[in-house]
Amino acid sequence: EQAERYDEMVEAMKRVAELDVDLNVEERNLLSVAYKNVIGARRASWRIVTSIENKEDAKGNKESVLRLERYRQKIETELKNICNDVLSLLDKHLIPVVSKLSSNDKQKQEEIAAAHVFYHKMKGDYYRYLAEFTVGDERKEAANNSQASYEVATEISRRLKPTDPIRLGLALNHSVFHYEIMSSPKEACKLAKEAFDAAISNLDDLPE
């Protein structure tokens, strides 16, 4: 991570995830950071290339548009591969492992709930990334899966404190989904405000 070699970091954390063991908080964060940086670079590239492609199209430069379209499709293939890689890890390894955990200890129960929320939020995020660039039925399916994952995470997050960073991060990303993917700013603002208000009203519970 410190060397910013994120492609290699992804491969290392992928091997850890495939061990089918319960990842601790640090390990989950390393997994998330690795994939976030790898996908983030491609998402930024896609936005830039799409913008240039639209400008060239407006100018009527057909040859430039064709070249840019091929390049955009190359980036989209990379994006799909990364998203599908993450989603496969979540469905085949990470979520099933956490689903088998149980405890009578209250603190341990919260830790298990936090892991559930983390993974289902991550699932919602990567389906959201797919919905950013896909079209038609493919986009609709990605958006539906993203919404379903965020809803599962939201339900489980009620076991966490309103000030919990994972719960707040989920609310933020879910609201981004409504704003950017569903074009529903009203619902986005409602979700964000509810999370903010709940956290503010529980500030006294936070340690100094």
Side-chain angles (χ1 to χ4, degrees):
E1 181 185 10
Q2 290 175 352
E4 296 184 4
R5 302 272 290 182
Y6 296 112
D7 288 305
E8 290 168 9
M9 190 178 171
V10 158
E11 290 306 313
M13 291 314 300
K14 186 178 175 182
R15 286 196 293 272
V16 172
E18 287 172 342
L19 293 173
D20 289 332
V21 294
D22 178 28
L23 303 188
N24 61 34
V25 174
E26 184 184 4
E27 289 164 341
R28 288 201 303 267
N29 287 335
L30 285 171
L31 177 78
S32 177
V33 166
Y35 275 106
K36 193 172 183 180
N37 278 280
V38 166
I39 195 97
R42 270 83 171 180
R43 289 171 72 209
S45 298
W46 183 86
R47 284 192 291 266
I48 292 165
V49 171
T50 301
S51 175
I52 297 169
E53 183 185 348
N54 290 336
K55 287 174 185 174
E56 291 299 306
D57 190 34
K59 292 176 189 174
N61 295 338
K62 291 182 180 179
E63 285 187 21
S64 293
V65 170
L66 283 172
R67 282 197 298 271
L68 286 160
E69 185 181 358
R70 284 195 295 269
Y71 194 50
R72 173 175 52 78
Q73 288 169 348
K74 179 178 184 286
I75 297 167
E76 287 175 358
T77 299
E78 291 177 9
L79 283 165
K80 278 184 187 177
N81 289 340
I82 296 165
C83 288
N84 289 332
D85 202 31
V86 174
L87 293 167
S88 177
L89 278 180
L90 289 164
D91 284 336
K92 292 180 181 177
H93 300 283
L94 299 167
I95 292 174
V97 166
V98 175
S99 297
K100 292 175 186 173
L101 300 176
S102 63
S103 176
N104 293 322
D105 179 69
K106 190 178 178 184
Q107 186 178 344
K108 183 62 180 173
Q109 286 173 352
E110 276 196 19
E111 289 172 6
I112 294 169
H116 268 293
V117 174
F118 186 95
Y119 291 138
H120 285 287
K121 170 189 166 292
M122 197 172 179
K123 191 172 173 179
D125 289 343
Y126 282 82
Y127 273 121
R128 171 163 60 88
Y129 301 153
L130 283 172
E132 286 177 344
F133 64 88
T134 49
V135 294
D137 289 342
E138 198 175 357
R139 184 184 191 278
K140 186 178 179 182
E141 184 183 2
N144 287 341
N145 286 330
S146 181
Q147 170 71 347
S149 300
Y150 284 136
E151 284 177 353
V152 170
T154 299
E155 184 61 35
I156 300 170
S157 75
R158 294 193 174 98
R159 301 178 206 166
L160 306 176
K161 293 180 177 69
T163 51
D164 188 287
I166 297 174
R167 181 170 169 172
L168 288 169
L170 166 65
L172 174 64
N173 287 20
H174 196 183
S175 66
V176 169
F177 165 81
H178 279 287
Y179 188 85
E180 293 186 350
I181 305 300
M182 304 306 290
S183 299
S184 179
K186 227 175 169 181
E187 184 65 22
C189 289
K190 178 173 170 283
L191 275 171
K193 188 176 186 307
E194 284 174 357
F196 178 78
D197 290 345
I200 288 295
S201 63
N202 284 270
L203 278 181
D204 291 342
D205 295 340
L206 286 174
E208 290 292 328

